[in-house]
Amino acid sequence: MKRGWAMALGAVAVGGLFWMSLYAWSPFKISQADAFNGLFSQGREGGNMAYIVAQLRVPRALCAALVGACLGLAGALMQGITRNRLASPSLFGVTAGAALGLALFSTGLVALPFAGGALLMTCLGGALAWVIVFSLGGAWSPAAAQGRLVLAGVTVAALCAALTRLTVILVEAQAQSVLNWLAGSLANVGAAQLQLLWPCTLVGAVWAMFCAPRLNLVNLGEDAARSLGVGIASLRLQVFFASLLLVGASVCAVGPIGFVGLIAPNIARQYLGNDYRWLIPASALLGAAIVLAADLLSRAVAFPVETPAGVVTALIGAPFFLYLARRTR
């Protein structure tokens, strides 16, 4: 019952933040009545402000919620498969690798002559970074030190970030658009990004829930999980591809937003325990709430100028990481 109430509270928080994001801190004078009308009308019959809400604010709020859910799910999966509470897409270099892949695609240095090339490049970049981190960190060995894996992730993330900046310097003509995207902003998202995000989020969420019972067994130790019939190699591959899809979709849509995959699963674990059947959906809800709140704060900090949501999550996430690292030392 406690877990059910916690999930309900998380859903209410997401709903409240979603509602506020439709009208709060807008350069236009949008009332709550306009926001309500905008939710149920796509044309101009509800008025100009309702039309703005329907065409701009609703897709933006939905994208923020879906990006947060993607990152929360990916963080929960990574922490489950590595049994490391510090694991997350940003600290393992997956986000930075995905950003590098999309930067190469966006600047034309790597051309893919088919639809979906951007998503494929983000997934490939994230995959390469993850493989390097796991190899350097010795994650394939049961006796590997957890700190070594995090150190490898931070190193690879820094390398990918440097290569991304080099890519931007080499292609000056598109530097400004790529730099805006690299900040992790939700300012320019719309229907196109929403159409990319929702199927990836749905597939990733279903995939994550399918892995949840086996992650519970892995939490007992890999030897115990094997004795109970869990194929560790198969589970690692499933978590690998599910996480890449989730992170790749979020980076492709709004750019790299860090620390959400670290914060959401750890807060959920604090209240719901280590049962991944509850932890995974709770991480998705908390991730959605965090990104929605960060988007609201990004508008409020220097209103009417917008601060990228990725900056807000970094300001919150960096102290949280230091606190968590100290607790788990």
Side-chain angles (χ1 to χ4, degrees):
M1 183 173 291
K2 177 184 175 182
R3 288 170 170 171
W5 278 109
M7 293 290 291
L9 183 61
V12 169
V14 170
L17 290 166
F18 180 88
W19 173 249
M20 286 184 62
S21 69
L22 298 183
Y23 65 88
W25 290 292
S26 171
F28 306 100
K29 292 183 179 180
I30 300 175
S31 67
Q32 294 193 44
D34 293 326
F36 183 81
N37 292 332
L39 278 175
F40 300 102
S41 64
Q42 296 298 316
R44 294 185 181 274
E45 62 273 11
N48 290 334
M49 292 302 101
Y51 182 76
I52 290 173
V53 170
Q55 298 299 315
L56 299 179
R57 285 303 179 90
V58 171
R60 176 172 178 161
L62 287 173
C63 284
L66 290 175
V67 165
C70 284
L71 295 174
L73 287 167
L77 288 172
M78 289 182 177
Q79 290 177 20
I81 199 63
T82 61
R83 291 183 294 148
N84 184 350
R85 293 187 63 180
L86 297 177
S88 73
S90 52
L91 290 178
F92 275 8
V94 180
T95 300
L100 174 59
L102 190 57
L104 291 171
F105 179 83
S106 300
T107 54
L109 293 178
V110 175
L112 297 176
F114 52 83
L119 179 59
L120 178 60
M121 281 300 298
T122 57
C123 290
L124 288 176
L128 181 59
W130 196 349
V131 169
I132 294 173
V133 168
F134 267 46
S135 299
L136 293 177
W140 315 118
S141 171
Q146 303 286 14
R148 180 181 170 187
L149 190 61
V150 174
L151 181 60
V154 172
T155 303
V156 171
L159 175 62
C160 290
L163 292 174
T164 301
R165 286 171 174 79
L166 178 61
T167 301
V168 173
I169 292 171
L170 291 175
V171 187
E172 294 183 4
Q174 300 186 28
Q176 190 59 46
S177 61
V178 175
L179 283 173
N180 290 336
W181 168 82
L182 283 174
S185 175
L186 289 144
N188 298 315
V189 298
Q193 287 77 15
L194 186 58
Q195 290 174 3
L196 167 69
L197 279 168
W198 77 260
C200 293
T201 307
L202 179 61
V203 171
V206 172
W207 206 338
M209 288 304 298
F210 177 71
C211 295
R214 288 173 291 166
L215 289 175
N216 284 338
L217 296 178
V218 170
N219 196 44
L220 301 174
E222 291 190 3
D223 291 337
R226 285 192 183 93
S227 68
L228 294 170
V230 176
I232 300 297
S234 172
L235 181 59
R236 279 177 175 161
L237 281 176
Q238 291 178 48
V239 169
F240 178 79
F241 287 115
S243 299
L244 286 178
L245 177 64
L246 292 164
V247 176
S250 68
V251 171
C252 190
V254 303
I257 294 182
F259 294 104
V260 178
L262 174 71
I263 298 172
N266 278 289
I267 294 178
R269 184 178 284 106
Q270 188 72 25
Y271 293 97
L272 299 177
N274 290 316
D275 188 342
Y276 279 86
R277 294 171 299 178
W278 289 91
L279 186 59
I280 284 175
S283 297
L285 278 176
L286 278 170
I290 290 168
V291 177
L292 281 167
D295 187 37
L296 281 169
L297 287 173
S298 72
R299 295 185 232 162
V301 168
F303 183 78
V305 179
E306 290 197 21
T307 304
V311 175
V312 177
T313 59
L315 290 173
I316 298 171
F320 185 87
F321 168 70
L322 294 175
Y323 164 75
L324 192 63
R326 183 176 179 82
R327 282 193 60 188
T328 56
R329 184 173 59 184

